[in-house]
Every structure is written in C-alpha cells, then in structure tokens.
C-alpha cells in the first residue's frame, strides 16, 4: 500500500511517508526518502494486537502493538486498504500451526552440522556435572524417560539418592500436573539445594506417604541441616483457596522437619493486567511527571518485580548463609517457581552471570522444566488468559540487578533485550511449545536453529565492558540491599520504550567502553610485537648502534570511537509556541503543554478481576504437526536494520 | 540571551521610555524577540497590584511574551522537604513509593526547568531570536533558566573551567541570594521565608543532562555534590553573602579562600573530572519525557543507598580509560 504515513508518538512533526508491504513473515514499511529509504520490519510473531481507529480527514489510522513493546502507528489513506491490511494482519499474527512460524522458514545458511553444533552449545548434563551432581547425595533418574511420569518435565531429572522410583512416582501422583520435587540447583559448598515442584494435592486433609518421603529425602541429601524450607510463592489467600479445589500446600504437621513460608507473588492474570496498565502509561502522549509516576505505581509493575526479587533473595540466603535446602513451588510450578529459582541461582552462582551460564540457566529452569512458552507468549493463537509476561519479569529482574551491580555480569542490557525479543519472534526454535516432549515430537532441533548459537556468534555485541571475572563484585553471592530499597527499582525504558530513540541517551557508554577496551588490547599487542622486535634487534646488533624503531603505520589517530557528535540530536517538542510567529497575540496566556489526564476513556477495559480467585488451571493444548514450508533469509531483531534481501508480496 | 527582573508597570500601567528604548535597540529593524516570563500569566498580572507586572505588547511591539511558570520560594522548599522525607522514610512500601515521590512534585519541577531552558535555547538556536528571561526579582528562576540554557547551548560551559565561569557569572555575580536561599536545607524546621533550593534544582538539572549525555560534560557527579555541599556550608567564601555588594562590604575576597582555587588543584581536580568526556561542539537537547527524568539518587539517597558497587563501576570506567 502506497502513501502510508508512519507516525512518531513523541513528535507529530516526525511523521514519514512511505510504502507498506505485507509478506508471509513480516510487515515492512519503507520510507520514501530518496537517500535513506529507511525500513521498519516487524515479524508477524511479534504482533500482539492490531487496532483500527476512527477514520479522520488524513486517512485511516492503524495501530500495531508488538510483544517487544514496539508500537507502530500508521495512517493509510484509503479505508478499504486499511481494512484489508487489518484483516490480513489479524490472520497473519495468529498462526494456527507451528509450521506457519518463522523458525521453520528462517535460513541462516548454515549446514546440517553447524545447525547441530548450535543446538549442542548449551549442554545441561555438563551443567549438572559442573554443579557437582551426581554425587553421594544426588542421582540422575530416568523414571521419566518416556514422559510417563510427568509430561511437562524433562526425561532426565536429578533426585535425592534416597528417593526410589516408587517414591518419585507416588509423589508425582500427589502433585499438580505430576510435577514432583526435582533438583534445580545444588550448592557444592554446603550441600544445600534448591528443588522445585508444583503444589501438593492435599486439599484440607489428604496425605501421601511417598510425597512426605520425597521431602524427607531432600532433607537427608543435606546432612548439614535438620530441616528444609518449603516456599510457596503464592499469596496465602490464593493458596488457601486452592485447598477447596483439592490442592493447596504442605502442612507442617504432616511433613516433618519443614519450615513453611508464603512469599506472595501474584498470579499470571494480575501480571498480565499489570503490564497492560504500564504499557498504557507508556503510550500517553506528552504525559506529565505526575501522570507517569501515578500510572506506573497504579500498574503495580515494579512492586511485582520486587516481590520476585525478594523471593529469590530469601532462597539465596537460605542456601548460602543458612545452608538450608529449599523446595519451591507455586500452583503448577512452571511460572513463579521458574522465576524465583532462576533469580536465586543467579544471586548464588557467578557462573550464571556469564553469557554462557545465563543461557544455561534459561535452558535449565525455563526450557527443560516445561515453562509453557507457547501458551504464555502466544506462539500460536490460543487462550488469551494464558498470556502473561512471566519470563519478561525474570529478564527485568536481571536488568535491575545489573543496574545495582554494574560489574557483576559478563553480558550487557542488549543481550537481555535481544533474548526477550527472540522469545516472541519465533525466529529460532528454542522457545517453542510447552514442554520438552512437544519439542521433541516436532523435531525442533532438526528443523530450526538455536538462538544460543546466534547470540554466541555475536557475543562481542553483548559484552559488558565493566565485567572482570576477577573483580570482587563478580565473585560469590550477590547481596542486594533488602531495605530500604524501593528506589533501587527503576523503570526500564530501554525495554518498554526500546524503539523510542528520542528517549535514550544517544551516546552508548557500553559501546564506547568496549571500543576503548578493544583498542587498548590492540595497542598492547602491538606494543608486545614492537618490544619483541626491539629485543631481537638489540640482540643481533652490537650495543652502540642506534636502533631505529619502526612505528607501525596506524592509519587512524587514536582510533577511539569518539562519541557520536556527528549524530546531532534534535530538540523534541518543548513547546507549541514556536510554530508560526506571530500568529497569536502575546497578551494571551499561553496554554500549558496539554497533559493528557488519565481518564476512563483512555483505559482499555481490563480483564475481569481474577486476582482474588484461586489460581486457574489451563488445559494443555493439542498440537498437530504438519510439514514446513520453504523460505528466504531475513534480517535480525532490530527492525530498523537494513535487510539483505526482501521477499515481497503484492501489498 | 538576556536577563532582568520584572518591569514595574504597576496598577497604573506606567511606562519607561528608557526601558522600551533599551529593549528596542537590542532587536534589529523588523526582528522579533521572545520574553520568557517564569511566572504564570495570572501571577504576572497580579504582580501589577504590588507594583510589578509585564511588558505590554503595545509598548514592546517587537517582543513576544511566553509564560512558563516555574516554582520558587516556599513551595519549592516544601517540595524539597517532602522529597527528602520520602527518601528517608523506612516504613514506605513499594506500593506507595512512587506516589510519595510524585506528591513531592520535585521531579515535575526538574522537568519544567529543563523544558523552559530548552525553550530558551530553542529560540536562540533554532529560531535565531534573542531572548529575555525574567521572573519577579530576576534572582531565582531567571538564573536557573539562563544558566541551564547556556549549558545546553554552549560547549564551553560544559568544561570544568567553563562551568565554574558560568556559576560565577549566572549565579554568584548575578546576585542569587545564597545566604538567604541556602541557610538550612531540608531538615530544618525553622522554615525561613527566604529559603528555597533553586541552586539545587539547577544542579539536579545539570545532573539530568550528564545522565543523558554521558560524554558531553567534562565534570561528573562528584562536582555537583561538592557544589551542593558548599552552597549550604563551606570552608570557602565563594557562596557567601547574597550579592557582590555584600561580598565587597564583608571583604570576602580579602579574607577567605576561593572554592575554585581549591577545586582546580591538580590532585583535587582529578576527582571531579568525567573520564568519558570528549568535546561535543553541538547543542545537547535533552529529552524531557518523564521516563528520561530520574531521581538523583546520588544526592537524595546519598546516605541511604549503598554506593559501593556503583563506585566500583566508576573506578572500572576510569581504569579502562586510563589504561588506554
């Protein structure tokens, strides 16, 4: 469609005219400008919602909201075209079978062996060995080898030595979704461990010998402590409400030597609404400071982030300082449990703060343990009530920690943002389906590529220049300040306003320091070469000859990446007064910049209040497999990047 | 860029030929200028009742007046006190933190100050027009705007030396009444009527600029903190008294040491320099969206927030740059 305008949220002056293209995998907007022809690419998988707004004199507005928080505002001249685009996008953004997803047609031009190697980059078995298992207390169990015990768990799990197959199976029958207690993290130093499961089917009074034995086994696997913590990450009210449905939580009277603890993280519906509200604040035009802060607080988003973090801190402390093992669960043990276990692991073990380690962490606590990627992030069209920003919250916790401990992580913010982007993009196969079982059935590893290999290949872009493995901050456990600490939680505009260039510092300190580091390294290498040469010369000549040292020809002066002065930034609209002068009489009081008041009209109707109900369960969707289609090679995450080729469909 | 105080129009709409001539000569034939009045149109009008007022269009035909109300005086001091109380309240839960922060309105004042300074800068740089800034007395919000505008526009004001020069010119010599304004700070219950943290607001705005343009200021947060400290309590005479006349009467220059002399010593200077600095000859236009304006934790949470890890990060940055 031609003559489409792309609007800028911050400045109406920055609207650009161009052509809109719809392909099998992307929406593409190409600017009309003669020189730049800047392109904006959006993967259909990224589209969260499309809104057709009321036609105005200038055309028919179409609002595309993406899962990576990009918001695209288009104005299409003809209403009919707009409608066609709208209908097409609705269909394209809601695939019904996996084969429609981009990962099955994405071709990075690697051969079969390279693809395989890519998938082998992250090796979970190696990871458990690194942790120190199997050992005298922990063993690998293949009781779930055909997914016969729990279909959302991996085939191989680590359990306490004293837990027999009988105990495991018995325990699994007493746990929601059969998700029995299994090892998430083992601390070599003191034998304390983090185990995870789902809620017990205890109702008001039911008991299960094997489940009780399972918890005993976990306790026995840590001879340094005579009790374990059982952490239920739900609010007490929700957990109690679950009892009425035959589920619930562990009774300290029945399970000997446990100390039970509620942490109070809200459920997926509350989180979905929270994000929605926060994004609405982000979409306000010219908000006042007041609108923004009130809106942000009203969404509750940072409060939830803090709750997850607090839970992780509690568990990390129990393991590192008290040497006590912890069993963590929520309802089904695949959302809050995953968040909390991975935050705790990150705090405890510096390995997870390296790039490789972080990939391993996600592979372990999210992918292998059956976090429902498809349901939560909408790979395929499904139940909107299943959608929730669970992993987004975990990723944000990591960012918040990076802000507090700038030297402690090997990777930078961009790494996190790209991972989040690809969880939704479906360009790689790592985050498809709801479980390991489903991924194997679909033969994901044979038909798609691994994100980890892609990121690893580009790891230079993702490094944190301030990281040094021998730095004090990078070693041992991280101890975030517990209280007071409200102010430590900042709004992550790098993520939620990612595409609004005007909001961010135009000069990237990270990139600059990386360039400085690289240059220093180059100079040091050159210095070594020169010194070696000098030494050789001195050896071969007699002492009184003057040694001519050859300066290596350096074409650049101090090749330092100087701050981007050439990218002069432009003023945003500070005032409406400078339009045409003098169109108004100066004696009139000038209006204030209109602050959009948050009225009911602006807020969308939210989901019915699900926060007070007991946790809802979701059914597992049935997936049918069909053969993939072929496809072309397309660019990566940043929709602003130029593409090498483009596959065009008549728009 | 010009600054003054309000014209004494008064209830009888007095005029001054000399004032009109002065403002007339500044502009060329047919040229337009802007007057940025840091009071609301309402407040400016009311000022007439007590002898002040605004420049009427008829007498100053080439000047267009824009009103950009900036908080000053008692309300600004209250804002400061509320913010400090919020930061120091241990019982504050995450539920309430942002609204407490918001109800102090401090960040709104930062946003307003930056916006107004940007407006002045825009008039000068983009419109090529001359700008006159004034409030009521010309000693508070006026100086805030003119000083900030210069940091935005002029790269020489962003050097350590240039910034000191800016402070001397636009705050000290221009007669900001430091003695009255920076008597007790936020914890005092004495609530002096003349107390108001305009200078702190200026420093906060400069900090916001340094955050948005990490390479463009030759100095870092340490300098801003040192200036804040010295404005309220100092071993040096730089911020003493309320104006040049008083300083002369008190023989400040003869009997005290200058803060600048201290700061500019090579060993001291190191602490205040920004290792990332590289001369940026362009105008730096900040974003004044709420997301871009942050709480200056280094100042307001100075004694509350653990700074060790951030200090280590800065040390690392310094080390990387020095190694190179």
């Amino acid at each position: 469609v031609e003559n489409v305008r792309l609007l800028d949220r911050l400045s109406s002056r920055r609207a650009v005219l161009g052509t809109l293209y719809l392909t099998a995998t992307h929406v593409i907007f190409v600017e009309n400008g003669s020189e730049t022809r800047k392109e904006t690419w959006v993967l259909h998988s990224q589209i969260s919602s499309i809104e057709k707004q009321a036609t105005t004199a200038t055309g028919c507005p179409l609002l595309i909201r993406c899962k990576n928080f990009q918001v695209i505002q288009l104005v299409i001249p003809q209403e009919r075209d707009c409608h066609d685009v709208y209908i097409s996008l609705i269909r394209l953004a809601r695939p019904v079978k996996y084969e429609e997803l981009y990962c099955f047609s994405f071709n990075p031009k690697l051969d079969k062996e390279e693809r395989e190697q890519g998938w082998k980059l992250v090796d979970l078995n190696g990871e458990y060995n690194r942790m120190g298992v199997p050992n005298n207390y922990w063993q690998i169990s293949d009781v779930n080898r055909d997914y016969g015990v729990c279909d959302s768990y991996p085939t191989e799990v680590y359990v306490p030595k004293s837990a027999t197959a009988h105990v495991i199976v018995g325990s699994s029958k007493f746990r929601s979704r059969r998700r029995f207690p299994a090892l998430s993290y083992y601390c070599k130093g003191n034998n304390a461990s983090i185990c995870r499961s789902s809620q017990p089917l205890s109702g008001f009074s039911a008991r299960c010998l094997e489940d009780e034995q399972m918890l005993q086994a976990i306790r026995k696997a840590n001879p340094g402590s005579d009790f374990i913590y059982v952490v239920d990450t739900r609010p007490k009210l929700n957990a109690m409400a679950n009892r009425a449905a035959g589920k619930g939580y562990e009774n300290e009277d029945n399970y000997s030597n446990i100390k039970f603890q509620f942490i109070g993280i809200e459920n997926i519906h509350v989180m979905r609404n929270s994000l929605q509200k926060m994004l609405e604040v982000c979409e306000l035009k010219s908000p006042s400071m007041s609108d923004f802060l009130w809106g942000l607080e009203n969404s509750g988003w940072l409060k939830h982030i803090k709750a997850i973090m607090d839970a992780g801190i509690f568990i990390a402390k129990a393991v590192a300082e008290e040497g006590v093992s912890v069993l963590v669960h929520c309802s089904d043990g695949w959302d809050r449990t995953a968040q909390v276990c991975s935050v705790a692991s990150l705090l405890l073990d510096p390995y997870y703060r390296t790039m490789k380690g972080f990939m391993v962490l996600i592979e372990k606590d999210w992918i292998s343990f059956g976090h429902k990627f498809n349901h939560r992030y909408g790979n395929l069209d499904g139940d909107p009530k299943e959608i929730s920003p669970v992993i987004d919250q975990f990723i944000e916790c990591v960012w918040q920690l990076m802000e507090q401990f700038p030297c402690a992580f090997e990777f930078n913010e961009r790494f996190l943002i790209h991972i989040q982007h690809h969880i939704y993009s479906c360009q790689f196969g790592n985050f498809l389906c709801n479980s390991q079982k489903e991924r194997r059935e679909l033969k994901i590893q044979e038909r798609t590529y691994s994100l980890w290999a892609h990121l690893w290949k580009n790891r230079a872009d993702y490094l944190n220049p301030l990281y040094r493995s021998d730095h004090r901050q990078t070693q041992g456990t991280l101890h975030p300040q517990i209280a007071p600490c409200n102010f430590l939680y900042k709004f992550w505009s790098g993520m939620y306003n990612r595409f609004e260039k005007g909001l961010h510092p135009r000069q990237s300190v990270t990139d600059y320091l990386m360039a400085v580091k690289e240059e220093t390294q180059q100079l040091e290498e050159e210095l070594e070469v020169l010194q070696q040469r000098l030494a050789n010369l001195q050896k071969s000549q007699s002492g009184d000859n003057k040694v001519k040292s050859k300066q290596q020809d350096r074409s650049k002066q101090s090749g330092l990446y100087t701050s981007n002065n050439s990218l002069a930034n432009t003023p945003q609209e500070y005032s409406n007064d400078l339009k045409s002068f003098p169109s108004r009489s100066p004696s009139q009081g000038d209006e204030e910049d209109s602050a959009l008041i948050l009225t009911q009209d602006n807020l969308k109707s939210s989901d019915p209040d699900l926060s007070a109900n007991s946790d809802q369960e979701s059914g597992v969707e049935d997936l049918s497999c069909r053969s993939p289609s072929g496809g072309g090679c397309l660019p990566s995450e940043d929709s602003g990047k130029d593409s090498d080729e483009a596959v065009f469909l008549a728009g | 860029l010009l600054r003054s105080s309000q014209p004494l129009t008064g209830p009888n709409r007095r005029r001054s030929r000399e004032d009109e001539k002065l403002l007339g000569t500044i502009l060329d034939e047919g040229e337009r200028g802007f007057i940025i009045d840091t009071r609301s149109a309402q407040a400016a009008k009311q000022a007439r009742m007590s002898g002040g007022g605004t420049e009427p269009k008829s007498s100053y035909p080439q000047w267009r007046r824009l009103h950009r109300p900036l908080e000053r005086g008692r309300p600004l001091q209250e804002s400061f006190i509320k913010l400090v109380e919020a930061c120091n309240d241990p019982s504050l839960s995450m539920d309430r933190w942002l609204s407490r922060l918001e109800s102090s309105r401090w960040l709104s004042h930062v946003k307003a100050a930056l916006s107004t300074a940007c407006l002045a800068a825009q008039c000068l740089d983009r419109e090529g027009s001359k700008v006159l800034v004034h409030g009521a007395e010309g000693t508070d919000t006026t100086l805030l705007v003119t000083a900030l505008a210069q940091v935005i526009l002029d790269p020489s004001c962003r050097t350590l030396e240039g910034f000191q020069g800016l402070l001397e010119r636009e705050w000290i010599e221009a007669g900001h009444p430091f003695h009255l304004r920076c008597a007790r700070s936020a914890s005092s219950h004495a609530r002096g009527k003349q107390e108001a943290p305009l200078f702190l607001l200026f420093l906060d705005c400069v900090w916001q600029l340094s955050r948005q343009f990490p390479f463009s200021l030759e100095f870092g947060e340490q300098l801003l903190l040192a200036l804040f400290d010295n404005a309220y309590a100092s071993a040096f005479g730089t911020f003493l008294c309320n104006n040049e006349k008083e300083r002369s009467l008190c023989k400040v220059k003869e009997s005290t040491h200058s803060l600048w002399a201290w700061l500019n010593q090579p060993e001291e200077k190191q602490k205040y320099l920004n290792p990332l600095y590289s001369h940026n000859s362009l105008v730096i236009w900040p974003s004044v969206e709420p997301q871009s304006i942050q709480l200056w934790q280094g100042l307001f949470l100075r004694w509350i927030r653990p700074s060790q890890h951030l200090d280590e990060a800065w040390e690392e940055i310094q080390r990387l740059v020095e190694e190179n």
Side-chain angles (χ1 to χ4, degrees):
Chain A
V1 181
E2 293 181 340
N3 295 319
V4 174
R5 282 208 328 280
L6 177 66
L7 304 182
D8 180 296
R9 181 183 77 89
L10 290 179
S11 166
S12 52
R13 272 186 282 179
R14 288 204 264 240
V16 272
L17 203 60
T19 307
L20 185 70
Y21 298 89
L22 251 59
T23 75
T25 49
H26 290 77
V27 180
I28 309 166
F29 179 84
V30 183
E31 273 181 39
N32 276 351
S34 50
E35 281 179 22
T36 51
R37 270 183 66 85
K38 178 160 173 275
E39 298 179 358
T40 306
W41 288 63
V42 177
L43 265 173
H44 295 318
S45 306
Q46 287 284 5
I47 297 176
S48 169
S49 71
I50 309 140
E51 197 184 311
K52 204 162 146 258
Q53 294 168 325
T55 308
T56 66
T58 49
C60 194
L62 196 67
L63 193 63
I64 302 174
R65 288 191 185 84
C66 300
K67 300 171 187 174
N68 62 0
F69 313 114
Q70 187 170 17
V71 178
I72 309 228
Q73 247 183 315
L74 299 165
V75 179
I76 299 175
Q78 299 292 342
E79 209 276 331
R80 239 209 70 182
D81 289 331
C82 183
H83 187 73
D84 285 344
V85 170
Y86 174 70
I87 296 295
S88 309
L89 282 180
I90 295 265
R91 174 62 186 87
L92 288 165
R94 294 184 190 165
V96 288
K97 43 186 170 77
Y98 279 106
E99 286 67 21
E100 294 179 56
L101 295 176
Y102 186 32
C103 54
F104 290 100
S105 53
F106 171 61
N107 178 9
K109 305 224 164 54
L110 298 171
D111 63 36
K112 191 160 151 285
E113 204 186 294
E114 284 168 313
R115 187 212 303 257
E116 245 180 73
Q117 282 305 107
W119 282 105
K120 293 210 174 97
L121 187 70
V122 169
D123 165 31
L124 273 189
N125 267 322
E127 169 55 15
Y128 284 106
N129 292 341
R130 183 198 71 86
M131 274 191 233
V133 293
N135 62 14
N136 290 333
Y137 305 112
W138 294 90
Q139 66 186 356
I140 194 169
S141 167
D142 68 346
V143 72
N144 198 38
R145 62 188 163 279
D146 297 313
Y147 304 106
V149 177
C150 173
D151 63 2
S152 60
Y153 263 9
T155 47
E156 287 177 345
V157 284
Y158 280 80
V159 295
K161 260 268 168 70
S162 55
T164 62
H166 172 77
V167 166
I168 297 171
V169 172
S171 169
S172 79
K173 292 190 177 136
F174 195 65
R175 293 273 163 181
S176 173
R177 314 290 186 171
R178 319 273 236 101
R179 292 169 68 87
F180 56 88
L183 180 72
S184 164
Y185 180 72
Y186 171 73
C187 180
K188 237 188 301 211
N190 59 14
N191 295 314
S193 65
I194 303 176
C195 293
R196 53 184 291 179
S197 71
S198 57
Q199 65 185 322
L201 303 175
S202 47
F204 287 103
S205 58
R207 292 182 68 164
C208 166
L209 181 64
E210 288 84 8
D211 193 70
E212 289 168 29
Q213 286 172 334
M214 190 69 187
L215 267 64
Q216 293 273 34
I218 293 174
R219 182 181 56 78
K220 284 190 234 165
N222 179 8
S225 170
D226 54 10
F227 72 98
I228 65 168
Y229 281 111
V230 174
V231 168
D232 186 330
T233 57
R234 300 170 292 181
K236 184 167 182 180
L237 214 62
N238 296 37
M240 286 175 66
N242 266 275
R243 284 194 302 182
K247 295 173 238 177
Y249 54 94
E250 293 82 347
N251 186 337
E252 273 182 4
D253 295 333
N254 299 342
Y255 291 83
S256 54
N257 302 318
I258 69 165
K259 279 203 187 142
F260 188 84
Q261 184 91 14
F262 282 113
I263 301 268
I265 302 170
E266 301 288 348
N267 68 30
I268 56 168
H269 310 292
V270 172
M271 301 309 193
R272 184 179 57 247
N273 288 338
S274 177
L275 178 64
Q276 163 92 328
K277 288 208 182 117
M278 186 171 73
L279 294 178
E280 281 166 13
V281 175
C282 294
E283 277 189 42
L284 293 176
K285 263 185 161 282
S286 317
S288 68
M289 203 69 217
S290 186
D291 292 335
F292 179 72
L293 291 173
W294 271 108
L296 189 56
E297 182 166 274
N298 193 40
S299 75
W301 181 258
L302 291 177
K303 180 182 71 166
H304 299 313
I305 298 293
K306 179 173 184 291
I308 297 164
M309 191 82 88
D310 285 345
I313 293 172
F314 174 86
I315 294 167
K317 271 199 155 176
V319 168
E321 289 174 26
E322 295 180 63
V324 177
S325 294
V326 185
L327 171 65
V328 189
H329 72 76
C330 44
S331 297
D332 295 328
W334 48 39
D335 292 314
R336 288 165 279 193
T337 301
Q339 291 173 324
V340 157
C341 286
S342 36
V343 169
S345 301
L346 202 62
L347 292 171
L348 284 167
D349 194 332
Y351 176 64
Y352 298 125
R353 293 175 232 137
T354 63
M355 217 179 280
K356 197 56 141 354
F358 190 69
M359 299 187 210
V360 166
L361 183 64
I362 294 184
E363 193 67 42
K364 176 167 70 78
D365 275 309
W366 294 84
I367 298 175
S368 81
F369 269 104
H371 177 68
K372 299 196 298 173
F373 283 93
N374 177 28
H375 282 179
R376 293 286 172 266
Y377 314 117
N379 303 157
L380 301 179
D381 191 30
D383 181 1
K385 298 259 183 300
E386 290 283 341
I387 303 278
S388 191
V390 182
I391 203 169
D392 306 60
Q393 287 182 321
F394 163 65
I395 291 172
E396 177 161 344
C397 284
V398 183
W399 178 78
Q400 299 283 357
L401 283 170
M402 273 170 51
E403 290 284 294
Q404 291 180 40
F405 301 95
C407 300
F409 291 81
E410 191 188 26
F411 47 86
N412 59 28
E413 183 188 36
R414 187 183 292 133
F415 186 62
L416 295 177
I417 292 181
H418 284 192
I419 290 177
Q420 191 268 2
H421 178 100
H422 282 302
I423 287 169
Y424 290 99
S425 78
C426 301
Q427 183 172 336
F428 299 90
N430 310 61
F431 310 109
L432 293 186
C433 308
N434 287 330
S435 65
Q436 191 190 74
K437 175 168 187 257
E438 288 177 17
R439 280 185 289 274
R440 289 200 181 160
E441 280 168 3
L442 271 179
K443 299 204 197 312
I444 294 292
Q445 293 199 1
E446 286 117 78
R447 298 158 74 194
T448 69
Y449 294 86
S450 168
L451 173 66
W452 304 138
H454 171 80
L455 292 176
W456 189 250
K457 195 166 73 154
N458 295 312
R459 60 189 176 282
D461 289 342
Y462 300 124
L463 290 172
N464 169 18
L466 301 180
Y467 174 79
R468 266 181 20 229
S469 55
D470 60 343
H471 193 286
R472 199 150 48 99
Q473 230 178 80
T474 67
Q475 297 173 342
T477 312
L478 285 185
H479 298 282
Q481 172 150 317
I482 302 195
C485 61
N486 297 331
F487 45 81
L488 291 173
Y489 293 91
K490 298 189 272 201
F491 173 75
W492 192 5
S493 80
M495 172 66 87
Y496 304 110
N497 292 126
R498 177 180 167 194
F499 295 93
E500 293 184 68
K501 298 297 180 200
L503 283 184
H504 308 298
R506 289 192 133 251
Q507 310 162 307
S508 162
V509 177
T510 302
D511 289 342
Y512 172 75
L513 290 173
M514 278 314 298
V516 167
K517 233 180 158 172
E518 256 176 61
E519 209 209 36
T520 304
Q521 202 175 348
Q522 267 174 41
L523 291 172
E524 275 172 3
E525 284 166 11
E526 276 175 36
L527 182 64
E528 250 184 70
V529 170
L530 288 172
Q531 280 174 335
Q532 187 59 42
R533 234 193 245 177
L534 192 61
N536 290 343
L537 282 170
Q538 280 173 333
K539 258 191 252 157
S540 64
Q541 288 176 344
S542 49
D544 51 323
N545 285 6
K546 219 166 147 201
V547 176
K548 273 205 209 113
S549 55
K550 284 208 198 102
Q551 285 278 320
Q552 255 188 1
D553 189 24
R554 282 209 284 147
S555 45
K556 41 190 171 118
Q557 208 345 59
S558 77
L560 263 185
Y561 173 116
T562 45
S563 44
N564 258 334
N565 294 334
S566 50
L567 281 173
N569 72 325
T570 48
Q572 69 172 88
E573 259 168 42
Y574 300 114
S575 160
N576 289 322
D577 300 299
L578 301 181
K579 293 266 168 68
S580 53
F581 179 105
S583 54
R584 283 189 286 166
S585 154
S587 57
Q588 275 177 347
D590 287 307
E591 302 94 61
E592 296 289 79
D593 292 339
S594 57
L596 185 67
I597 316 289
L598 215 58
T599 61
Q600 271 308 116
D601 306 355
N602 300 331
L603 298 172
K604 297 196 186 45
S605 57
S606 44
D607 287 356
D609 187 12
L610 292 163
S611 50
N613 300 358
S614 56
D615 293 343
Q616 294 191 355
E617 284 187 23
S618 49
V620 177
E621 283 203 329
D622 233 301
L623 307 156
S624 49
C625 295
R626 281 182 236 171
S627 54
S629 50
C633 166
L634 285 160
S636 62
E637 39 280 355
D638 281 328
S639 54
K641 290 224 183 86
D642 294 340
S643 58
D644 296 329
E645 343 158 352
V647 178
F648 293 126
L649 244 157
Chain B
L1 182 62
L2 303 130
R3 51 174 157 79
S4 71
S5 54
Q6 65 180 322
L8 299 174
T9 322
N12 299 320
R13 298 176 194 271
R14 270 183 309 180
R15 291 177 64 168
S16 158
R17 303 253 173 251
E18 291 88 348
D19 194 74
E20 288 166 32
K21 192 158 186 207
L22 181 59
L23 285 187
T25 54
I26 290 166
L27 297 176
D28 295 331
E29 182 68 42
E31 200 190 342
R32 304 283 196 226
F34 288 96
I35 297 177
I36 295 180
D37 189 326
T38 61
R39 302 166 295 179
S40 68
Q42 177 83 303
K45 219 170 168 187
Q46 274 172 353
R48 284 204 349 240
M49 297 309 136
S50 39
T54 57
E55 297 83 348
K57 170 83 174 161
S58 47
S59 320
Y60 300 85
Q62 289 174 274
W63 292 89
R64 183 179 163 188
R65 198 172 67 242
L66 303 173
H67 286 275
R68 284 290 176 278
L70 293 180
E71 199 67 271
R72 79 204 67 205
R74 188 62 164 274
L76 191 64
Q77 181 69 6
E78 291 294 338
S79 171
F80 178 36
I81 292 173
K82 272 201 178 134
L83 175 59
V84 172
E85 279 174 1
C87 290
N88 281 285
D89 185 352
S91 69
L92 206 48
S93 73
M94 196 61 199
D95 276 350
R96 294 265 157 272
W97 160 244
L98 291 174
S99 49
R100 267 294 279 282
L101 180 61
E102 199 291 315
S103 68
S104 75
R105 313 243 341 117
W106 180 261
L107 293 178
S108 297
H109 299 319
V110 172
K111 182 182 194 307
L114 275 173
S115 302
T116 308
C118 286
L119 176 61
Q122 214 169 1
C123 292
L124 288 159
D125 185 74
R126 295 280 153 144
E127 307 280 322
S129 304
K130 298 181 173 85
V131 177
L132 168 66
V133 183
H134 72 73
E137 306 301 299
T139 55
D140 294 276
T141 53
T142 304
L143 305 181
L144 176 57
V145 173
T146 57
L148 255 185
Q150 287 176 64
V151 178
I152 289 169
L153 287 166
D154 186 354
S156 68
C157 290
R158 295 182 224 133
T159 63
L160 184 57
E161 197 185 317
F163 189 65
Q164 288 172 17
L166 178 72
L167 292 174
E168 269 290 323
R169 264 189 341 268
E170 296 299 314
W171 285 92
I172 296 171
E173 286 169 15
H176 178 70
F178 278 97
H179 182 69
L180 291 170
R181 297 283 179 268
C182 301
R184 301 248 181 235
S185 191
S187 310
S188 160
H189 293 289
R191 311 267 163 125
K193 266 177 35 187
Q194 292 287 339
E195 178 99 36
L198 270 312
F199 188 58
L200 170 58
L201 185 55
F202 168 70
L203 295 174
D204 195 327
C205 291
V206 175
W207 180 80
Q208 305 289 342
L209 289 173
S210 76
R211 209 191 56 83
Q212 293 193 32
F213 298 94
F215 297 90
S216 300
L217 300 180
E218 195 185 20
F219 48 89
E221 188 182 52
Q222 289 310 311
L223 178 70
L224 301 175
L225 290 172
L227 290 169
F228 169 72
D229 289 338
N230 279 280
Y232 283 90
S234 181
F236 305 91
T238 308
F239 290 106
L240 282 182
C241 303
N242 290 311
N243 48 51
E244 288 296 274
K245 178 177 177 189
E246 284 182 20
R247 279 172 212 121
S248 168
L249 287 171
C250 293
K251 298 206 192 311
V252 164
K253 295 218 165 86
E254 292 88 328
S255 34
T256 67
H257 291 284
S258 157
L259 176 62
W260 310 136
W262 171 259
L263 288 178
N264 291 328
Q265 294 174 99
E267 328 86 67
E268 279 304 304
K269 207 168 168 175
Q270 272 311 109
K271 294 190 220 159
Y272 303 112
L273 290 175
N274 169 16
L276 298 172
Y277 176 67
S278 105
H279 177 80
N280 179 359
S281 58
L282 302 170
V283 177
I284 53 175
W285 299 107
S287 158
V288 296
E289 292 298 303
Q291 293 94 319
S292 307
I293 295 176
Q294 294 186 5
L295 175 66
W296 184 8
Q297 295 201 3
L299 184 113
F300 294 105
L301 298 167
R302 196 170 176 188
W303 314 111
I304 302 167
R305 155 190 97 152
S307 67
Q308 177 199 355
H309 303 112
L310 300 167
D311 292 339
E312 283 170 0
W314 272 108
E315 275 164 31
E316 192 59 28
I317 291 176
Q318 204 121 23
R319 195 187 67 85
L320 283 175
V321 173
E322 273 165 25
E323 246 183 24
N324 183 268

